[in-house]
Amino acid sequence: MKRNFKTKLNLACSNDELRPVLGFILFEKGNAIATDAHILAVQSLKSHELTDDEIKLIEGKALHREVF
């Protein structure tokens, strides 16, 4: 099943080549977390209307900003 996230959280990620790890969105504790080292964006995955099973599936994973 394909899901689309409701917000553009990828805009909060860094595109700095010297800090490649900041180009990812991390999924932890039911939240999506993104930063560019100046700002930190944290959103509940419930706001994207994901089910509990879907949240458990992506828990602990990271997704690159270009894929998000």
Side-chain angles (χ1 to χ4, degrees):
M1 173 180 7
K2 182 177 179 182
R3 285 274 192 183
N4 290 326
F5 290 89
K6 293 183 178 265
T7 60
K8 296 183 179 182
L9 191 59
N10 59 327
L11 298 177
C13 292
S14 175
N15 58 1
D16 186 357
E17 293 178 8
L18 297 175
R19 299 185 229 172
V21 74
L22 297 181
F24 287 86
I25 300 167
L26 178 65
F27 300 98
E28 259 190 19
K29 299 180 183 174
N31 294 314
I33 305 164
T35 186
D36 68 354
H38 298 283
I39 61 167
L40 176 68
V42 180
Q43 290 183 344
S44 172
L45 292 174
K46 292 286 187 180
S47 66
H48 296 281
E49 297 179 358
L50 296 176
T51 65
D52 289 334
D53 291 334
E54 291 169 332
I55 291 173
K56 286 179 188 178
L57 186 67
I58 61 174
E59 184 71 26
K61 308 275 190 308
L63 188 65
H64 195 266
R65 64 182 168 83
E66 293 176 1
V67 177
F68 186 80

